[in-house]
Amino acid sequence: MKLKIVGITKKYHNLTALDHIDLELHNGIYGLIGPNGAGKSTLMRLLAGELRPTSGNIFWNGKDIFKLDEKYKRYIGYLPQTFGFYKEFTGYEMLCYIGLLKSKDNIKKIRAQAKQLLNMLELSDKADAMTGKYSGGMKQRLGIAQALIGNPRILIMDEPTAGLDPMQRIYFKNLLKKYSSQKIIIVSTHIMSDVQELADHLIFLKKGRVVLDKSRDAALEESADYENLYMRYYAENIPSGETKHGIK
Amino acid sequence: MQYKKFFALTAIVMIVLNGCSSQKTENLSEISFDGLDSIEREEINYMLPTRFASDGKDIFFIDSPTGMVYRFDLSTKEATINCNNPVCSHDSDSCTAYAERDISGIRRENDEVYLLGNQIYKISRNQKEEIGKGHYGTSNSKIMFGGYIAYPEEESIIVENIESGNIVQRFEDVVPYTQGNFYYKGALWYITEDLELVRLDIKAGEKRVVEEIGVTRASVYEDFIYYIQVDQQTGDNQLIRYSEGEDSKTVVEDNVFYYNIKGDTLYYTTWPDRDFYYRPLYESSGENEAVQLFKGLDLLIWSFPEYDDLLVNLSEDYYTYYILDTETNTIDYDHPLKVEQELTQ
């Protein structure tokens, strides 16, 4: 499985959010790093098929994703930064509905997967509660579950650990690692420790351009540790007066 | 000898079982549901499980995060907790705003508003009165109609006379989903957990499967049943209009994730874009293009018989509701109806 990004540029009026991006993604976990405004969310939305590029192409196994359109969207599990649930749905119903839209499995199989995901994400006891009653952390876990339902081949997750407590973060990282041999997983984060524990591959974005695209091991050959690696590319983004330890 | 023992044991078991049961079965031939069909259609145009209902004076609703009952005053655009006891902590059943969290819904019935949980309460301004015998279970999929309540119990639906507590009908092998259940013309309509749309004829005790697969939401408006059906082959999620009399189905709109209907106008959101549109209900979409009101917004929409306008809420914002003016189809963002968070726990 291969997701190939060729010469992608995305402009919003006069602002160039992404500037001639070329990437090739295979199964594994990709950590997408960059400060605010680097273009991470724009790239994620393009990969999720939510936005169209100003120029360039994205190919899924050699086929243009915008020509595949709905078919491609079925391959995607997407967790955006803000995800609203219809609060009158229960968590279980919401998952079943999204599963039905994304998958060709029969409803019994979708139900079984929804229950399994709710269990994995420690939401079983709230499965029949309306999502309007969910706390922020519960909504985030349900967001992760909706991204995973239907067994998508590409997982795109924008700041997935936001709102999770330390134990849930560990659990979530283990969950992603379990899937990483079968899926392309792209995790956008500004928390370097998340990337440190998760990513096989690092992509650094800066002002809409890719400044680093290397395997974790190759990237770490450049610098002593993750902090130094981050400082090497983003030192000027650290507010003056903060030490490098201030980097999350 | 063994037969005698068996019959004696069976008789004892029967006596014990009957003695334990306080619920009797009413003779269906003596029950008339005819009067129920005169209920104004708009009163039963509710989407489920509902959190909002108006009694003509106030709009009562269950606040999502706390599960407590509030009421909206549309003239002052204020939300007030439905309890006027200044020292009440709103955490016990004696409080007029207290609702059983997770299992309660609000229903309108004959100009009164009811809180349905394991018990039924009639509610009004700072008032709450228990009616019925209770023990209606924890499911949100309850239907109240003309003095009766239908509620799920294990894998069946029980129809019970609220006043007497007598069971009038039981439908086996129906496990409901909560997104579309209502009473319409002598029948209960449910979406099951297999996402079938079924019609349960109360008098005949018969179950008929109207749609076999992929139904995710249903409601009644005027003399039609509306439901969303997902076609997994094409990925479509269509809004279907079903005429029971003619047993005919018409596709109203091709991509509908969530909808409500008011004054012959269909308001709906799409998937996966979550854009919000409106269009005339009875004209085909080909002739009348839908108008996009908002882009990328998850809106929940409620309608009330006494109000021409709609109440809407953005799904990621728990506390703020807006009026959608149905004449101009604009949202009054300048005058939000806010639930004061300090009131919530």
Side-chain angles (χ1 to χ4, degrees), chain A residues 161-176:
Chain A
T161 57
L164 301 187
D165 67 33
M167 284 307 292
Q168 285 163 355
R169 277 177 189 232
I170 293 167
Y171 191 76
F172 169 70
K173 287 171 194 171
N174 290 337
L175 190 67
L176 281 196

Side-chain angles (χ1 to χ4, degrees), chain A:
Chain A
M1 291 196 294
K2 186 166 77 176
L3 194 58
K4 192 169 182 182
I5 299 153
V6 183
I8 285 287
T9 294
K10 178 67 187 175
K11 291 184 179 179
Y12 300 102
H13 304 291
N14 294 329
L15 176 77
T16 302
L18 291 174
D19 191 4
H20 291 91
I21 302 287
D22 294 299
L23 290 167
E24 194 170 303
L25 312 178
H26 300 267
N27 285 354
I29 303 178
Y30 292 80
L32 186 61
I33 314 293
N36 289 340
K40 298 193 299 291
S41 290
T42 301
L43 180 57
M44 293 217 140
R45 292 183 67 199
L46 282 161
L47 293 176
E50 277 206 347
L51 281 179
R52 280 185 174 263
T54 308
S55 61
N57 296 93
I58 303 174
F59 298 100
W60 166 244
N61 289 338
K63 291 179 182 162
D64 187 326
I65 67 163
F66 298 104
K67 285 182 183 155
L68 288 170
D69 199 23
E70 289 304 317
K71 203 173 169 187
Y72 172 74
K73 285 179 182 172
R74 286 190 176 206
Y75 298 139
I76 298 285
Y78 180 41
L79 175 71
Q81 226 168 28
T82 53
F83 194 94
F85 287 110
Y86 287 89
K87 60 183 86 169
E88 293 197 344
F89 285 81
T90 68
Y92 174 61
E93 287 170 347
M94 191 77 202
L95 277 191
C96 288
Y97 192 174
I98 293 174
L100 202 68
L101 287 163
K102 280 169 58 174
S103 140
K104 289 190 176 173
D105 289 337
N106 67 40
I107 184 63
K108 286 185 171 59
K109 211 168 168 182
I110 291 167
R111 281 210 324 254
Q113 201 197 0
K115 283 178 182 167
Q116 188 191 17
L117 284 167
L118 288 165
N119 189 33
M120 281 162 64
L121 291 154
E122 297 178 322
L123 287 168
S124 289
D125 60 334
K126 289 287 176 191
D128 295 326
M130 284 185 257
T131 59
K133 292 170 185 164
Y134 279 26
S135 68
M138 287 162 66
K139 282 200 291 179
Q140 184 70 0
R141 281 180 277 149
L142 189 63
I144 292 166
Q146 67 78 32
L148 289 167
I149 200 158
N151 198 20
R153 298 185 194 174
I154 306 164
L155 264 180
I156 300 170
M157 308 191 119
D158 208 346
E159 303 281 358
T161 57
L164 301 187
D165 67 33
M167 284 307 292
Q168 285 163 355
R169 277 177 189 232
I170 293 167
Y171 191 76
F172 169 70
K173 287 171 194 171
N174 290 337
L175 190 67
L176 281 196
K177 279 180 189 166
K178 193 176 127 189
Y179 287 123
S180 64
S181 63
Q182 314 143 27
K183 298 180 195 301
I184 297 171
I185 302 174
I186 306 147
V187 177
S188 158
T189 182
H190 64 282
I191 302 172
M192 280 303 281
S193 62
D194 278 356
V195 175
Q196 194 168 342
E197 293 160 33
L198 261 181
D200 312 307
H201 201 104
L202 301 176
I203 298 167
F204 282 17
L205 282 179
K206 189 175 179 181
K207 294 178 183 168
R209 286 176 171 269
V210 174
V211 290
L212 177 89
D213 172 20
K214 284 185 175 173
S215 74
R216 177 185 53 197
D217 295 341
L220 284 175
E221 277 175 16
E222 288 185 14
S223 300
D225 54 30
Y226 281 92
E227 244 176 49
N228 280 305
L229 186 65
Y230 189 92
M231 289 296 284
R232 185 170 170 177
Y233 289 95
Y234 302 116
E236 74 271 24
N237 293 95
I238 309 296
S240 60
E242 273 195 38
T243 66
K244 66 178 183 179
H245 300 291
I247 304 164
K248 280 195 248 181

Side-chain angles (χ1 to χ4, degrees), chain B residues 218-232:
Chain B
S219 65
V220 58
Y221 181 78
E222 296 185 331
D223 278 326
F224 296 102
I225 307 293
Y226 289 83
Y227 57 89
I228 296 173
Q229 186 178 33
V230 177
D231 181 333
Q232 286 185 281

Side-chain angles (χ1 to χ4, degrees), chain B residues 241 251-253 264 279-288:
Chain B
R241 178 190 296 134
V251 175
V252 179
E253 191 59 54
D264 294 352
R279 50 154 284 197
L281 181 64
Y282 293 112
E283 293 168 56
S284 72
S285 57
E287 291 164 19
N288 272 282

Side-chain angles (χ1 to χ4, degrees), chain B residues 245-281:
Chain B
E246 295 169 11
D247 195 21
S248 65
K249 296 168 187 173
T250 312
V251 175
V252 179
E253 191 59 54
D254 279 331
N255 181 0
V256 176
F257 187 78
Y258 179 94
Y259 70 93
N260 208 333
I261 300 165
K262 179 75 181 177
D264 294 352
T265 300
L266 169 69
Y267 295 86
Y268 65 100
T269 60
T270 58
W271 175 268
D273 305 320
R274 294 157 180 260
D275 297 336
F276 183 49
Y277 294 87
Y278 71 93
R279 50 154 284 197
L281 181 64

